[in-house]
Amino acid sequence: DGGITQSPKYLFRKEGQNVTLSCEQNLNHDAMYWYRQDPGQGLRLIYYSQIVNDFQKGDIAEGYSVSREKKESFPLTVTSAQKNPTAFYLCASEGQMNTEAFFGQGTRLTVV
Amino acid sequence: AQKVTQAQTEISVVEKEDVTLDCVYETRDTTYYLFWYKQPPSGELVFLIRRNSFDEQNEISGRYSWNFQKSTSSFNFTITASQVVDSAVYFCALSRINNNDMRFGAGTRLTVKP
């Protein structure tokens, strides 16, 4: 089945460590997105990529990094510079701009 | 600046009641897209509808209906005869044309009790 897969579902990280969240899609979509969801704040855009080897910062990119070496994959690294990383992270892809976005089931990151 | 406001943080209804989720937006653009997404407990957002700002016709899809009023910058969502499976968080979103900048509201958590 076509879709978007995020892994792992739950992730625990010690303070000061970097951690990478995986996002893979087999929908042949060019655009991919990372959002952060906090209670009562909706979704906020971290990074997006419209094409392989290109990506742009969203509203809250500080402390995060991404890569887009393959069309299917858009991993997000949460670095130690991110001061409050505990959150729910959602990855999405979109075939054409401003159309329906497909979301993964999310990764819940907890810093311990 | 673009902004979406969903003033209702949580709504609780009893099954078979009708319920309306409010969405008010702000934008300086004359053309834009509006969206509604549903987030069930499993976590992923599920697309419900996209509306172009040129099209102010209301839309009905089964028990779901949407009321778009450009004059009041609102795009409200009504569920008729609600069911327990409708329990979820619902997000309204605003997107600029040909732009990846989509703004989400804070979401409304709907609980439908049997």
Side-chain angles (χ1 to χ4, degrees), chain B residues 15-87:
Chain B
E15 207 169 19
K16 297 185 183 177
E17 283 186 28
D18 298 348
V19 57
T20 295
L21 309 182
D22 297 334
C23 174
V24 174
Y25 62 91
E26 297 174 29
T27 181
R28 293 179 188 161
D29 296 346
T30 54
T31 56
Y32 46 86
Y33 286 106
L34 293 163
F35 298 79
W36 275 96
Y37 283 87
K38 173 181 180 180
Q39 185 180 38
S42 54
E44 80 280 13
L45 270 71
V46 177
F47 169 83
L48 294 178
I49 190 171
R50 181 187 76 163
R51 174 64 66 204
N52 186 309
S53 56
F54 283 130
D55 182 2
E56 289 195 65
Q57 282 194 340
N58 292 330
E59 179 147 347
I60 297 174
S61 176
R63 296 184 297 106
Y64 295 171
S65 62
W66 291 269
N67 184 333
F68 175 33
Q69 293 202 347
K70 209 167 180 178
S71 60
T72 57
S73 297
S74 65
F75 187 42
N76 297 337
F77 173 32
T78 297
I79 301 175
T80 303
S82 60
Q83 299 176 1
V84 173
V85 293
D86 296 327
S87 297

Side-chain angles (χ1 to χ4, degrees), chain A residues 33 37 50 59 97-98, chain B residues 50 95-96 98-100 103:
Chain A
Y33 304 81
Q37 184 178 7
Q50 290 182 281
D59 292 332
M97 198 177 293
N98 301 137
Chain B
R50 181 187 76 163
S95 180
R96 307 182 74 180
N98 293 326
N99 190 295
N100 297 94
R103 300 285 168 159

